[in-house]
Amino acid sequence: MLSGLIGSVLPAEKLRSQREMAEELDPSSGDRSGKRSAFWTMLVLSAVIAAAGVFTDSTATVIGAMIIAPLSTPIMGIALGVVRRRRTGAAARAVVSGCLVVIGVGVLFSALVPGGYDLLSNSQVAGRTSPGVMDLVAAVATGLAGAVALSRRDVAAVLPGVAIAISLVPPLVVAGVCLGRFAGWLALGALVLFLSNLLALVFAGMVVFAAAGYGGRAGREEGAVPRRTYTVLGVLFAAVFVPLAANTAFTLMIGVWTDRAEEQAEQWLAGREGASVTRVYTASKTMHIEVRVPGEPPPVEELIARLDGRVPDGVPVVVETARGERIDAGRTGG
């Protein structure tokens, strides 16, 4: 049954040859100088475009950077090299040096960020500094799709790059921007997202390339890829999965606390006609409660008292009115 499924997904008559795959993914084969110049030109341009998109909080611009980013090629080259039991030093060096260049571009662009700017108010930053388990799941699925598309001749050549690059360059740029602003924890979150995506892509590529038989005759048999390689990947996956799972659980808890805070804030305003809670969110470890209320809001001490025991102690609470007034209500549990 498994062999039949593999045969339908990776039909032998549609697969690229070993030589074609090596030419496509191995930086040390074929026209090396041409590959290097194309790789670095497109990588730097994609990094600049991604940085501009992050700086302007433009999703469309970031997507443009994703489309032309070439970082997926050496990553899949690592997967192919492992399956073929060939040295992957050239591909690994391209990935490492490429990452450093992209992060450097992000650091340079961070100089354009105004002083006191809240990075988490930028959706392009906030969306890439708090990764969760579903990001890892998406990366594995993306890697499988990209590896299948690379292996088959009848799939458009542009698909793998578009599908895979979406998870690579933007997190690195965000990490650089955060490092440039000395936001170490945010930079670490973006780097964890990138690392989880990289490992997922390599693992998915290895599975598909081994199933396609690119390891030679033994590649179609179980155990073609050294067990030690899978062991190392498993350990790395576990190391990445733990913080992703912890962050996912923390995000879920924040959602629970936010719902509780919104409920209590609505009760806090219940006595005021025309008053309502428009939004409750958490940013930079502070809970923000946006309200629309005629005149002055009720005493904020009542709100803090209502939140006692419903959200963790010590959380700063800020009430923001529709008129632009900002009231520091204090800390919960105080």
Side-chain angles (χ1 to χ4, degrees):
M1 181 177 178
L2 180 59
S3 60
L5 178 61
I6 293 175
S8 63
V9 175
L10 300 168
E13 66 277 7
K14 299 291 187 180
L15 294 179
R16 299 175 188 267
S17 66
Q18 291 261 13
R19 183 174 181 178
E20 288 174 323
M21 291 295 290
E23 178 68 25
E24 179 76 20
L25 299 177
D26 187 356
S28 62
S29 67
D31 183 7
R32 299 182 185 181
S33 61
K35 286 183 177 182
R36 282 196 297 267
S37 64
F39 175 80
W40 288 112
T41 299
M42 299 307 292
L43 182 65
V44 171
L45 289 175
S46 67
V48 171
I49 294 171
V54 169
F55 179 70
T56 58
D57 198 2
S58 170
T59 301
T61 305
V62 173
I63 291 175
M66 296 170 182
I67 293 175
I68 68 171
L71 200 55
S72 60
T73 300
I75 291 177
M76 281 303 185
I78 294 175
L80 181 64
V82 172
V83 169
R84 299 177 68 202
R85 299 187 180 184
R86 304 289 179 86
R87 295 183 180 276
T88 60
R93 286 192 295 272
V95 171
V96 173
S97 55
C99 291
L100 294 176
V101 167
V102 175
I103 291 174
V105 170
V107 171
L108 290 176
F109 266 73
S110 69
L112 300 176
V113 179
Y117 179 76
D118 183 8
L119 291 173
L120 290 178
S121 65
N122 185 315
S123 64
Q124 301 301 321
V125 174
R128 294 182 173 88
T129 54
S130 184
V133 174
M134 292 309 299
D135 292 298
L136 185 60
V137 173
V140 171
T142 300
L144 291 172
V148 169
L150 278 168
S151 302
R152 295 181 54 154
R153 290 194 181 95
D154 57 336
V155 178
V158 71
L159 175 60
V162 174
I164 300 172
I166 193 170
S167 304
L168 300 173
V169 168
L172 289 174
V173 168
V174 169
V177 172
C178 293
L179 284 175
R181 301 303 300 174
F182 303 103
W185 281 109
L186 295 181
L188 181 61
L191 289 174
V192 168
L193 174 60
F194 169 79
L195 182 59
S196 65
N197 290 340
L198 184 149
L199 292 174
L201 297 178
V202 171
F203 178 79
M206 288 170 56
V207 170
V208 172
F209 295 152
Y214 289 124
R217 180 175 299 177
R220 298 185 184 275
E221 302 172 0
E222 185 178 358
V225 180
R227 291 184 178 180
R228 182 172 59 182
T229 301
Y230 281 129
T231 301
V232 172
L233 279 175
V235 171
L236 291 175
F237 257 115
V240 169
F241 182 82
V242 170
L244 291 180
N247 189 68
T248 299
F250 182 65
T251 301
L252 292 174
M253 289 304 301
I254 287 179
V256 172
W257 297 331
T258 300
D259 291 341
R260 292 177 179 175
E262 184 173 1
E263 179 183 356
Q264 296 304 314
E266 289 173 349
Q267 295 181 16
W268 173 58
L269 294 176
R272 292 292 182 92
E273 184 177 355
S276 63
V277 179
T278 56
R279 186 168 69 132
V280 178
Y281 67 97
T282 301
S284 299
K285 302 179 181 180
T286 300
M287 181 168 288
H288 297 258
I289 300 177
E290 296 181 353
V291 300
R292 182 180 291 109
V293 56
E296 294 295 323
V300 292
E301 292 79 10
E302 295 179 9
L303 174 62
I304 294 296
R306 287 181 172 276
L307 294 177
D308 186 23
R310 293 175 174 82
V311 300
D313 293 343
V315 177
V317 177
V318 173
V319 176
E320 299 174 359
T321 68
R323 300 189 304 273
E325 184 181 6
R326 177 186 171 99
I327 304 172
D328 291 324
R331 293 178 178 269
T332 58

